Amino acid sequence: MLAKRIIPCLDIKNGRTVKGVNFVDLRDAGDPVELAEIYSAEGADELVFLDISATEERRKTLVNMVRSVAEKINIPFTVGGGISSIEDVDILLNNGADKVSINSSAVKNPQLINDLAKKFGSQCVVVAIDAKQIDGKWIVHLVGGKVPTELNLFDWAVEVAERGAGEILFTSMDNDGTKNGFANEALAKLSELVNIPIIASGGAGNIQHFVDSFKEGKADAALAASVFHFKEIEIKALKQELRNNNIEVRL
C-alpha cells in the first residue's frame, strides 16, 4: 500500500504566508521560507506553495521566493499561482519546483493540462479544484474562489484525469479554515471516479480529521495550513497517530 502523505500548504500574499476562513479574512502566518524549512525538518512529505493572488492580480508566481524555499527543503515541492503556459512551468521547474499546480488557467484552457503532461510528464501536473456546494451541487470556482463557473466538481475531475493530470488537489471552500473536518463524502466520490491521487484540502482542525480523510474520504494525501502554521498540530505526532490507526505513513 502506498504511504499516505501529509502536506503543509503555504498560501502566499504580498510575500507572506497567510490563512483565512472560507477563502476570506486572511491573517498573517509567518515567513514562507522559514516555515518551509521547519516543515521539511519536521517530516512533512511534500510542500505546496500557492501564490493566491497571482491570478487575480494578473501576474506570475514569485519566482525568487520559490527559489529561496527550494534551497531550504529536501522534500517534493509543488508551486501554483498565475501559471498559464509551458514557459511559466519551465521557469518554476528551473527554480526548484518539482511539480506545478494549475487551477483557473486549466478551466479557461483545458488543453493546457494535455500540453503540460506531454511536455513535463503527468507526475509534474497537479490540477487544483476549488469547489463549494450550491443548491446541493459541487460547483467549481476560480480566481481564489471568487468566480463561480458552470462546472460540476466531479465532471471536471474526470476530464482533468483524462487529460493527463497526475494529481487532483481538491479544496472544499465550505470547509476551508473552519476546522470542522474535510469534505469526506466528496473526497470518497472523487477517489471512486478517477484513478489518480486525490489530495484533500480544507477543514483540518484536529488529528482525527486527518484519520477520517484517509479512512472515510479515501484521500491519498491531506493538505493543511493553519493547524501547522499556528502549531496546533505537530507533524510527527500526527504521523504517529495515523500509524496507530493502521494508516501507512512515512515516519
Side-chain angles (χ1 to χ4, degrees), residues 180-229:
N180 292 329
F182 295 93
N184 292 321
E185 207 173 298
L187 282 166
K189 186 170 176 183
L190 284 171
S191 290
E192 280 173 27
L193 286 171
V194 301
N195 61 357
I196 59 175
I198 304 293
I199 304 168
S201 167
N206 58 47
I207 286 177
Q208 187 61 42
H209 291 153
F210 287 89
V211 174
D212 294 343
S213 75
F214 295 129
K215 290 198 163 179
E216 296 171 21
K218 307 285 191 285
D220 299 279
L223 175 145
S226 59
V227 291
F228 297 140
H229 301 339

Side-chain angles (χ1 to χ4, degrees), residues 81-163:
I83 297 167
S84 58
S85 69
I86 282 175
E87 292 72 31
D88 292 343
V89 175
D90 230 0
I91 289 166
L92 291 171
L93 296 181
N94 284 326
N95 281 277
D98 298 292
K99 310 179 196 178
V100 294
S101 170
I102 55 174
N103 188 334
S104 298
S105 60
V107 172
K108 291 169 184 167
N109 173 24
Q111 180 63 33
L112 181 64
I113 303 169
N114 305 64
D115 294 346
L116 294 181
K118 185 178 178 186
K119 170 86 174 168
F120 302 105
S122 290
Q123 83 291 336
C124 180
V125 184
V126 180
V127 174
I129 305 177
D130 301 331
K132 70 175 171 181
Q133 293 196 70
I134 298 174
D135 299 329
K137 292 180 181 164
W138 282 95
I139 302 299
V140 175
H141 284 59
L142 306 183
V143 193
K146 293 181 174 66
V147 180
T149 69
E150 306 280 305
L151 285 174
N152 172 283
L153 163 65
F154 303 108
D155 296 340
W156 177 230
V158 168
E159 181 177 343
V160 158
E162 287 173 349
R163 286 181 175 275

